[in-house]
Amino acid sequence: MSEPVDPACWLCERRLGRKVQHHHPVPKAKKGRVTVPVHPICHRAIHANFSNAELARIGEDRGALLAHPSIAKFVRWVADKRPDFHAPTRGPR
């Protein structure tokens, strides 16, 4: 029997910790139904950089989020943090 795989964050692909949020790639306000597990800090980073309209256009395309310079920089920065790492999240400058 295979080992259970630790669930990973949809955005940064790090192992999830005790606190998990469920992000709607297409916002509920835009009729999105699918959810994906993310760290709270990753969830805040997504919403700090994209409006609901932008997220609706991007949809479930994780690669499009990662192509955004601020998200790419965030994912590189958070890569070596522990699963339950928390820090204030700033919007774009």
Side-chain angles (χ1 to χ4, degrees):
M1 194 178 266
S2 64
E3 297 270 327
V5 177
D6 286 337
C9 175
W10 180 76
L11 182 66
C12 74
E13 297 185 324
R14 292 179 301 134
R15 185 172 53 87
L16 290 167
R18 290 185 314 272
K19 293 183 180 180
V20 176
Q21 294 183 350
H22 295 279
H23 169 67
H24 288 82
V26 174
K28 283 174 41 176
K30 302 289 185 180
K31 308 291 188 224
R33 301 241 186 272
V34 174
T35 61
V36 293
V38 292
H39 296 104
I41 194 170
C42 294
H43 201 191
R44 286 190 304 276
I46 291 168
H47 287 286
N49 286 282
F50 298 96
S51 68
N52 278 353
E54 290 170 320
L55 289 172
R57 281 192 298 276
I58 293 168
E60 296 178 42
D61 185 358
R62 178 180 166 270
L65 294 183
L66 294 173
H68 188 279
S70 294
I71 294 294
K73 181 178 177 181
F74 167 80
V75 169
R76 284 191 306 274
W77 173 76
V78 81
D80 63 351
K81 307 294 189 268
R82 59 184 166 68
D84 285 315
F85 176 76
H86 170 77
T89 304
R90 290 186 240 167
R93 292 181 179 201

